Amino acid sequence: MPDRESHLRWLAIAVVSAIACRAVAIYDTPIDRALPFIAFLLVICGWVSQSLSAELGVLLLVASAIFLPAERTRLLAYGLIAATAFAVSLYAVCGPASAGRLKPAPTLEPSLPAYALLTIVGTLLLRWIPFRDVVIWREVIVILGALAVLAALNAGEGAGAPLSVLAALGVALVTPVFPGRAMLFPFLLAAALYVAQALLPVLLIAFGAAAYFDRYSHTPLWIAAAFAASVPLMARLRLRVPAYAAAVALFALWPWSGLVARAFPRFLYATPGSPRQQMIGLALAAGESVSVDVPRVQSVILTASGANTARMAVGRVVGRIDIGNAHRDLRIGDIADFGFLRREQFFRSRNAPPRWPTTDIRGYGQTAWMHGAGRVTLPRSGRSMRITAARDLPAGARLQIESVDFE
Amino acid sequence: MSAALFVAAAIANSFLMLRGRALRRYFAVAMGGVLVFAFLALVVRPLQIEVDSYLALVTLGVLIVAACWAFVALSPAEDVRWSATRAALAAGVLYLAIIPLMLRTPIDGDEPYYVLITESMVRDHDLDLANQYRDLAHSATGRTDLRPQLGDPVGPHQELYSRHEPFLPLLLIPGYLLGGLGGAIATIAIFGALLARSTVRFFEDEGIDDATARALFPLIALGPPIVFYSARIWPEVPAAFFLVEAVRGLRQRRAARWVPSLFALVLLKLRFLLIAIALLARALRSRTHAVIAAAIIGIPLLLALLISGSATNVHALRELIPGTPSTMVRGLFGLMLDGTAGILFQAPVYVLSLFALVHWRSMPAGFRYGMSAALLYLIYLVPRSEWHGGWSPPLRYIVVLMPILALGCAAMWQRVSASTIAVIAAWTIVLVAHGLTYPWRLFHIANGENFVGETLSTIWHSDFSRLFPSFIRVNFAAYVASASLIAALGVWAGFSRPAKAGPHTIAPLGMTLLLALAFIFGRRPAARIEFEDAHLIHRGGELYPQEFQVQRFMFRGGWILHAGDSVSVLALGGPSRLQYGAAQPAILQIGTQAYALPSTGNRTETARVVIARNGRTEIRCLSGTIFLDRMDHE
């Protein structure tokens, strides 16, 4: 067990690390400005686990800030470094005793307090950056909810411990803070897990079915719940390592944790516009239309989104495209409300991410979101294309024609 | 494809070295790493992150190898299949897999000339390269721009010989016949594997325990410089193998081992005669030994005489006069600390051997034996203007000594903290990944900069290269680093019995702090500006001398501006001295001031200029042509 001198040493490491990160974080993104805080969190992980990963992680954070001028490359590097350091710390605390020299003696014994501390650190990393978007009392409730899930999964019983922490973090990631009642989710889940411990396989199936049948904005919650319910099963099947790898991979995207919480895996299908993209920028009210000339090309790709359409269900027709003799309805599912993936809108929305979204990703951390514009590919079968908004669109709703690609 | 082959070889290492629980755990970690990598590969497109996919794949391979050897080092002995032969096989597999990565760019430096000699031996059965130079299009070198090197001997009938000894090309013949250029390089890789085996056996002979050998081995055999020289056509790795076998043979008094090894060492390069002489002097015990010694020394000299007309080949007897103390100090500290060509930055694990030197008497006998034999070689190496190796990967001239230095590292290993080892390992991984991905960057022009300094200078348009000690273009950092090294060695020497370090020291935190401080300081204007450096924004003009000028370090480098060209530089405000050269009078605009500068003929002169304020300043040539060397703030 480390002594007082060791604790003071870690405190000094935390202070020096934060100062060093402050010195090199000269970029103006919220993630870069929070670099001292990130370093501090890593040092806490290092203190808990007594592993070198934290010190090396801080060194790599500083190196990334200096050597990577491209914003998203740098942020992804931060993400991977923090995720790896966290995973190593988690392994050091929760890993098997038989790991021998691969596993140093941690500060805290493998027990609920240690796991709780790591869960808090992970949640802070996932949800508290950018600071300006944090509503403190709501986020504190989320942390308490994650801890409730952790306790319910009986973390501390050996094999399931790291998976329990990952499950708690997963719940923390997806828990909405708007509307307020959505924050009850982790507590309800914890209660269900605690009460129905003997029926976890049934819960797993039920959550899975709910994820399939319920609307998209509730799906992440059901999936997180299913993962939590599957923890004992995964531990028995020795699926720790794939779970670790998946967790590290997703955790590496914490600079865009909101995107992972609300748009995964759909955002992986996002594609950028072509160099021949022609901007349109028109918002069509009900019944309005616009015509676009079509040159001699193989195909036409229309990029469009909705405005004030977040409450429309998937499949609802919002417009029509006429190109030559071909006609195509434009539905929710092809496109979505432009901002439905924002933190404040998501839980109440009935949209789903477009089948082929664009790479318009905005914001950072928990408030990161993907623009709801979708790309619709049409055959070139005419010299012009007419896009018409559906006549039954509500008064404030609009069909936004963003751009047209010719390929 | 070549990167995928490397990844496959990396995974093959694990089957050679691990078993049981360690093997399962390793594969779990490796598969987890691959899953994370695959996921990140999916993520980069929607996030519009531009990543060099080749670099990413090679880095993945390096990390997989590193993970394997971490398990070899840290797993219980029963889970590790450890032996010198297995370690050599594992290293050999990787060296072979690295060859396609190295061939991403044509062979360079002295490499193509060795291949030309091999081709001449195979096709013409002679050493005359005249017809090889005429028919470069059909050469396996892939270099149609080759010309005879400076100082290459010319025969009485205009034969063109190479300055390089023919023994290495002779060794390359079987590989060349089997596989052309790749086969020739594979020969070197085989020597690399032999070197790896001999190094481990050397450790065993000198009482280094298996745990230390397992932990240190990857940093030596799979770290710079050996990993690079094992997949390139240089005599250094074969020479290292022969040297360690010679030392082992001499220590064990087995003539059947040391005689052929020493003979081969000297045949490879005449400069190794300086090491052989020292070893032979200690080996002589009988008249037979004296005869053998005479043969080992005499036969290579005779061969050189027959080929080049001079027993010393392209070397002159005056080179036996030791250099001045100042050049010796510069070269010696350069080999240890230079940012481009020194151990500290290019092969950090060997820094431990420097600390081993100050506890000479407690070091293994083999280390003392080898290092004392190398003394004469080092005395003649360090004062040379080309102490840094010239146009070659780093540390060329001391690769031969790496096994001996490695023994010193092994002797120090148990006294080094885990955190220090982690920092050394991390930097080694970065160097290996970088060198394997960009093999052409292993060759760096001798301008006092290095790839890290240049990268930062290019990103921030500020002189970061000055923060790295340079003994090629001596800077203030060189003095600071030298004093720091002396102080550190002095402190270390003061411990009569250095205590075993605990698991943690300040190494990673110290590096973090150093990096942060370097960043703060590096972004400030420099007192001295070298106009050829990467931090300047050049708009027109050209580098002088041209980038691949032979023996470029002999020139005063700078930038030539013609009328209309300009450079933008981060400078200190106030008076400065500008060193320039101009065949004709030229007019220079600095900020809002114009300076009419007289011609200087063939020399450089100094002009006093004033920079208006701290910050970015543009220097524009308004008329004439001017060579800008450097500018010093007063």
Side-chain angles (χ1 to χ4, degrees):
Chain A
M1 183 69 75
D3 56 13
R4 185 164 172 268
E5 189 183 312
S6 173
H7 299 317
L8 287 173
R9 182 182 154 273
W10 280 107
L11 181 62
I13 290 173
V15 171
V16 172
S17 298
I19 292 172
C21 286
R22 180 67 188 88
V24 302
I26 67 165
Y27 295 103
D28 203 31
T29 72
I31 308 294
D32 288 290
R33 288 197 296 270
L35 210 58
F37 177 64
I38 298 163
F40 183 72
L41 292 178
L42 290 191
V43 173
I44 291 177
C45 292
W47 173 74
V48 171
S49 60
Q50 289 293 317
S51 73
L52 282 172
S53 61
E55 292 164 87
L56 286 176
V58 172
L59 175 60
L60 291 173
L61 283 180
V62 168
S64 299
I66 294 173
F67 282 91
L68 300 175
E71 179 184 306
R72 286 194 173 168
T73 309
R74 185 176 67 256
L75 297 191
L76 185 62
Y78 292 163
L80 192 57
I81 292 163
T84 306
F86 186 85
V88 171
S89 298
L90 186 61
Y91 177 80
V93 172
C94 310
S98 58
R101 290 167 60 202
L102 289 167
K103 184 169 137 25
T107 298
L108 300 178
E109 291 298 319
S111 62
L112 195 55
Y115 310 142
L117 189 54
L118 288 175
T119 301
I120 292 170
V121 167
T123 306
L124 289 173
L125 199 57
L126 287 171
R127 297 191 66 102
W128 284 56
I129 303 167
F131 298 129
R132 65 164 185 248
D133 296 329
V134 172
V135 182
I136 293 179
W137 69 270
R138 292 179 188 259
E139 297 297 339
V140 168
I141 290 174
V142 171
I143 290 177
L144 292 173
L147 292 175
V149 169
L150 183 70
L153 288 171
N154 282 328
E157 287 189 359
L163 292 173
S164 302
V165 173
L166 297 179
L169 287 175
V171 168
L173 173 67
V174 302
T175 299
V177 291
F178 297 98
R181 64 180 184 273
M183 293 187 292
L184 291 174
F185 163 70
F187 299 98
L188 294 174
L189 175 63
L193 292 173
Y194 184 76
V195 165
Q197 277 187 31
L199 299 173
L200 286 180
V202 175
L203 276 184
L204 172 60
I205 294 169
F207 291 150
Y212 184 79
F213 289 108
D214 199 355
R215 67 190 199 209
Y216 177 84
S217 60
H218 296 172
T219 301
L221 279 68
W222 294 122
I223 290 175
F227 181 79
S230 68
V231 162
L233 183 64
M234 281 198 289
R236 272 200 296 275
L237 293 177
R238 294 184 171 216
L239 290 176
R240 273 198 302 270
V241 172
Y244 257 123
V248 169
L250 288 172
F251 204 70
L253 296 180
W254 64 258
W256 304 278
S257 56
L259 196 65
V260 177
R262 296 185 287 273
F264 182 82
R266 188 53 63 179
F267 83 89
L268 296 176
Y269 292 84
T271 48
S274 75
R276 295 176 65 180
Q277 190 176 63
Q278 183 179 319
M279 302 306 294
I280 308 290
L282 279 177
L284 303 176
E288 292 182 355
S289 65
V290 62
S291 285
V292 179
D293 291 335
V294 177
R296 278 184 150 331
V297 290
Q298 294 271 14
S299 62
V300 179
I301 301 173
L302 175 72
T303 302
S305 63
N308 293 321
T309 55
R311 298 285 289 166
M312 294 181 185
V314 175
R316 207 265 204 217
V317 175
V318 292
R320 176 187 166 95
I321 306 167
D322 297 289
I323 179 166
N325 295 324
H327 311 281
R328 191 192 191 285
D329 287 333
L330 207 52
R331 299 174 185 272
I332 295 294
D334 296 322
I335 66 170
D337 184 275
F338 81 95
F340 93 96
L341 285 166
R342 289 182 295 188
R343 178 181 65 168
E344 292 78 2
Q345 274 80 47
F346 182 67
F347 191 73
R348 289 195 191 90
S349 77
R350 299 171 67 85
N351 286 184
R355 213 160 282 120
W356 299 108
T358 63
T359 53
D360 189 352
I361 292 166
R362 307 182 188 187
Y364 304 92
Q366 182 58 207
T367 53
W369 59 286
M370 182 174 71
H371 196 283
R375 291 160 60 81
V376 179
T377 303
L378 307 157
R380 182 205 174 268
S381 55
R383 283 183 166 184
S384 74
M385 172 174 67
R386 175 171 284 274
I387 306 126
T388 308
R391 294 185 185 285
D392 60 348
L393 278 183
R398 296 288 183 270
L399 174 63
Q400 299 181 146
I401 312 302
E402 309 279 351
S403 65
V404 178
D405 287 44
F406 301 111
E407 290 181 0
Chain B
M1 179 66 188
S2 52
L5 182 66
F6 175 61
V7 172
I11 293 172
N13 258 219
S14 61
F15 287 104
L16 280 168
M17 303 308 304
L18 298 172
R19 64 174 157 223
R21 185 176 284 177
L23 184 62
R24 286 194 297 275
R25 283 204 176 120
Y26 164 72
F27 267 105
V29 169
M31 287 303 110
V34 170
L35 281 173
V36 172
F37 177 83
F39 178 74
L40 293 177
L42 287 176
V43 159
V44 294
R45 190 185 65 166
L47 290 177
Q48 295 186 284
I49 294 173
E50 287 190 16
V51 175
D52 182 339
S53 55
Y54 187 80
L55 171 63
L57 205 52
V58 171
T59 303
L60 176 68
V62 172
L63 290 174
I64 289 175
V65 171
C68 171
W69 286 94
F71 273 86
V72 170
L74 299 173
S75 297
E78 57 268 21
D79 285 344
V80 180
R81 302 170 186 249
W82 178 254
S83 73
T85 303
R86 276 189 177 272
L89 270 174
V93 164
L94 282 170
Y95 295 151
L96 290 172
I98 282 168
I99 292 172
L101 274 68
M102 285 288 133
L103 288 179
R104 201 180 174 206
T105 186
I107 53 177
D108 207 348
D110 293 342
E111 296 177 287
Y113 296 95
Y114 287 115
V115 176
L116 281 185
I117 300 171
T118 303
E119 289 178 337
S120 184
M121 286 180 177
V122 168
R123 294 174 190 167
D124 311 329
H125 309 297
D126 65 23
L127 298 173
D128 177 14
L129 303 182
N131 54 326
Q132 271 66 42
Y133 285 120
R134 284 194 297 270
D135 193 25
L136 288 172
H138 292 102
S139 168
T141 61
R143 295 280 304 271
T144 54
D145 61 328
L146 293 176
R147 299 289 178 270
Q149 289 179 298
L150 197 65
D152 277 355
V154 177
H157 305 291
Q158 302 308 306
E159 299 95 329
L160 293 175
Y161 299 110
S162 172
R163 57 185 296 144
H164 302 296
E165 289 77 353
F167 185 55
L168 180 65
L170 188 69
L171 293 175
L172 297 179
I173 288 175
Y176 174 80
L177 288 172
L178 284 172
L181 178 63
I185 302 176
T187 307
I188 305 295
I190 292 170
F191 272 106
L194 291 171
L195 171 62
R197 185 183 180 282
S198 293
T199 303
V200 175
R201 295 290 290 129
F202 190 37
F203 285 2
E204 292 169 359
D205 294 344
E206 300 299 326
I208 302 297
D209 61 284
D210 272 0
T212 301
R214 280 191 275 142
L216 188 57
F217 179 82
L219 295 172
I220 303 298
L222 304 177
I226 288 177
V227 71
F228 299 131
Y229 281 96
S230 291
R232 306 197 73 100
I233 303 177
W234 298 85
E236 321 308 325
V237 159
F241 165 68
F242 290 130
L243 176 61
V244 75
E245 284 296 302
V247 170
R248 291 184 65 214
L250 285 163
R251 292 266 299 135
Q252 295 161 4
R253 298 189 186 178
R254 293 173 62 181
R257 172 166 280 166
W258 67 260
V259 170
S261 298
L262 266 186
F263 188 48
L265 180 67
V266 182
L267 282 176
L268 273 174
K269 291 300 267 187
L270 274 183
R271 58 179 150 96
F272 297 135
L273 197 56
L274 296 167
I275 302 176
I277 287 172
L279 287 172
L280 286 169
R282 298 176 71 164
L284 291 180
R285 289 181 207 289
S286 66
R287 202 167 285 185
T288 308
H289 285 165
V291 171
I292 292 171
I296 288 173
I297 296 171
I299 293 174
L301 291 174
L302 180 63
L303 285 172
L305 178 67
L306 290 172
I307 295 169
S308 67
S310 165
T312 55
N313 197 4
V314 295
H315 298 288
L317 285 174
R318 67 173 180 276
E319 293 177 36
L320 289 175
I321 302 171
T324 61
S326 62
T327 56
M328 282 189 165
V329 167
R330 173 177 165 163
L332 181 64
F333 279 89
L335 279 176
M336 293 188 287
L337 299 171
D338 189 86
T340 311
I343 285 172
L344 178 64
F345 289 94
Q346 299 297 336
V349 69
Y350 293 98
V351 171
L352 301 180
S353 63
L354 303 180
F355 288 87
L357 287 170
V358 296
H359 280 280
W360 182 259
R361 274 186 283 188
S362 64
M363 286 301 114
F367 176 74
R368 288 179 277 134
Y369 196 93
M371 288 310 297
S372 56
L375 189 59
L376 194 63
Y377 176 77
L378 289 171
I379 285 173
Y380 282 104
L381 169 64
V382 294
R384 295 177 70 87
S385 55
E386 218 181 43
W387 57 265
H388 45 81
W391 190 245
S392 69
L395 302 169
R396 169 183 165 198
Y397 288 132
I398 59 171
V399 173
V400 63
L401 303 176
M402 290 305 172
I404 314 298
L405 295 175
L407 181 60
C409 299
M412 296 295 300
W413 193 252
Q414 296 301 328
R415 298 167 182 168
V416 181
S417 71
S419 55
T420 303
I421 292 170
V423 172
I424 290 174
W427 183 234
T428 301
I429 288 171
V430 169
L431 287 171
V432 173
H434 178 263
L436 293 183
T437 307
Y438 310 115
W440 57 89
R441 289 190 193 169
L442 292 171
F443 298 78
H444 195 280
I445 59 172
N447 64 350
E449 293 195 283
N450 58 77
F451 77 87
V452 176
E454 282 175 343
T455 301
L456 289 174
S457 296
T458 306
I459 292 170
W460 299 100
H461 297 302
S462 182
D463 186 5
F464 277 83
S465 292
R466 65 189 152 135
L467 302 175
F468 295 86
S470 173
F471 294 81
I472 294 171
R473 194 177 67 191
V474 181
N475 58 10
F476 182 70
Y479 295 109
V480 172
S482 302
S484 303
L485 178 65
I486 292 169
L489 292 175
V491 166
W492 189 254
F495 290 104
S496 58
R497 286 193 61 177
K500 182 173 177 175
H504 292 286
T505 59
I506 62 167
L509 189 66
M511 285 297 301
T512 301
L513 210 52
L514 200 63
L515 212 54
L517 287 171
F519 181 68
I520 293 169
F521 189 72
R523 293 185 67 221
R524 294 180 182 172
R528 166 170 289 184
I529 294 162
E530 300 274 358
F531 285 94
E532 61 176 337
D533 283 358
H535 65 99
L536 283 86
I537 302 172
H538 298 100
R539 300 188 181 102
E542 67 233 31
L543 181 68
Y544 177 83
Q546 53 99 0
E547 189 175 1
F548 302 112
Q549 169 67 44
V550 176
Q551 294 192 323
R552 196 175 186 283
F553 48 86
M554 304 290 287
F555 293 78
R556 294 182 69 154
W559 198 266
I560 294 177
L561 293 180
H562 306 284
D565 299 334
S566 67
V567 293
S568 172
V569 58
L570 199 62
L572 285 170
S576 295
R577 283 175 285 113
L578 174 70
Q579 292 201 14
Y580 76 99
Q584 304 291 333
I587 300 176
L588 215 56
Q589 178 186 355
I590 300 178
T592 56
Q593 291 274 73
Y595 295 86
L597 300 174
S599 73
T600 63
N602 291 331
R603 307 182 312 275
T604 56
E605 296 287 348
T606 302
R608 200 166 181 276
V609 299
V610 177
I611 307 298
R613 61 181 185 283
N614 284 5
R616 190 150 291 280
T617 301
E618 189 168 39
I619 301 174
R620 176 181 295 277
C621 179
L622 296 179
S623 79
T625 296
I626 188 166
F627 162 71
L628 299 178
D629 181 358
R630 69 169 191 251
M631 186 165 71
D632 293 290
H633 183 257
E634 285 183 347

